[in-house]
Amino acid sequence: MLRGVDLEVPRGSVFALLGSNGAGKTTLVHILSTLLKADAGSATVNGFDVATDAERVRESISLTGQFAAVDEALTGRENLVLVARLRHVKDPGAVADELLSRFSLTEAGGRRAGTYSGGMRRRLDIAMSLIGDPPIVFLDEPTTGLDPQARIEVWDTVRQLVRGGTTVLLTTQYLDEAEQLADRIAILHRGTVIQQGTLAELKSLLPQARVEYVEKQPSLEDVFLALVGETDDDAPTERKQS
């Protein structure tokens, strides 16, 4: 259940929604992408109301879920061409080739997607979501289940999207992912945004500590745990020593 969610995502930035499992991240994304109707409140995406202008919202966005939605029986290029045809894009083959090149998949484009590594499948999935040039992309926990190298590949892809002017709303339970990618971060806990700001602003919420004359800056993990509290049920899935 969501309550007390109030946020604004600047254009051309990465906004990370950080929270543990069950915090409400996916529910919020589904409301913003018109897959769910909110019981109360209002929301606009790209200037369009999600309740009254749902079709215009859907034209403005692309949604990539927690698991890559590629057809593993098709080649990488065939996946892209299929989506381009479904979206009635002119010259689907040219669009597919451009995206394969953009995401460093040209050499693998003729191989079945089922032979791709996790990072390659996720990059292909994101490439598919960009067909039609949506200005806003929702990435719902895009690195779930990926190994460290594949996560880095996805991070590089997200940075590339933003350099191209795309606005990205990223949900994650990984603290280091939010630190690496986000221009702004909102901490969602039990359906409520309890704090938001830049990484520097969030770190400033905790006092600086000194240990044997060495200054220690608070990490995002310190901020997260101080704000939401840590219990057996709520503890983040990944901890990082600072």
Side-chain angles (χ1 to χ4, degrees):
M1 175 185 243
L2 296 175
R3 55 190 182 276
V5 175
D6 186 6
L7 52 85
E8 183 174 344
V9 180
R11 291 183 183 273
S13 68
V14 178
F15 191 100
L17 197 61
L18 178 64
S20 305
N21 284 332
K25 303 185 300 296
T26 297
T27 299
L28 178 57
V29 167
H30 284 178
I31 290 173
L32 294 176
S33 58
T34 74
L35 295 177
L36 287 177
K37 289 185 178 181
D39 297 325
S42 62
T44 60
V45 175
N46 201 32
F48 303 113
D49 188 281
V50 298
T52 61
D53 290 313
E55 184 175 349
R56 300 298 297 274
V57 170
R58 289 192 288 269
E59 291 173 351
S60 302
I61 68 170
S62 183
L63 170 61
T64 298
Q66 295 181 23
F67 303 99
V70 303
D71 188 328
E72 296 189 353
L74 300 179
T75 67
R77 189 177 188 276
E78 288 170 342
N79 270 281
L80 292 165
V81 169
L82 174 62
V83 174
R85 286 175 174 168
L86 291 173
R87 295 185 179 177
H88 306 291
V89 174
K90 293 182 179 179
D91 201 347
V95 170
D97 291 337
E98 189 277 329
L99 286 168
L100 288 171
S101 175
R102 181 176 173 183
F103 289 97
S104 302
L105 291 170
T106 299
E107 293 185 3
R111 287 167 38 201
R112 288 192 308 107
T115 68
Y116 286 11
S117 67
M120 292 171 67
R121 280 196 299 271
R122 178 54 85 184
R123 284 181 3 237
L124 176 61
D125 191 30
I126 294 174
M128 291 162 59
S129 74
L130 295 182
I131 292 174
D133 297 319
I136 299 168
V137 173
F138 295 121
L139 299 178
D140 189 16
E141 302 202 30
T143 61
T144 295
L146 297 184
D147 61 44
Q149 181 58 42
R151 292 181 70 204
I152 291 173
E153 291 178 11
V154 173
W155 291 356
D156 289 342
T157 299
V158 173
R159 295 186 184 104
Q160 183 180 349
L161 291 180
V162 177
R163 284 195 298 269
T166 303
T167 302
V168 176
L169 177 64
L170 168 78
T171 75
T172 184
Q173 57 183 312
Y174 299 128
L175 304 174
D176 60 335
E177 188 158 274
E179 284 189 293
Q180 287 285 333
L181 296 176
D183 298 297
R184 293 184 63 82
I185 301 165
I187 296 177
L188 186 67
H189 182 58
R190 295 179 178 175
T192 300
V193 173
I194 57 177
Q195 193 59 258
Q196 60 179 301
T198 65
L199 179 60
E201 288 169 345
L202 293 178
K203 285 186 175 184
S204 71
L205 297 174
L206 297 185
Q208 296 179 359
R210 296 188 66 86
V211 180
E212 295 181 355
Y213 306 106
V214 178
E215 186 177 272
K216 175 182 178 295
Q217 297 289 342
S219 68
L220 180 58
E221 181 180 18
D222 295 328
V223 176
F224 180 88
L225 295 179
L227 289 171
V228 307
E230 183 178 8
T231 67
D232 290 338
D233 292 333
D234 300 328
T237 59
E238 179 176 280
R239 297 292 304 275
K240 183 177 69 173
Q241 296 296 322
S242 56

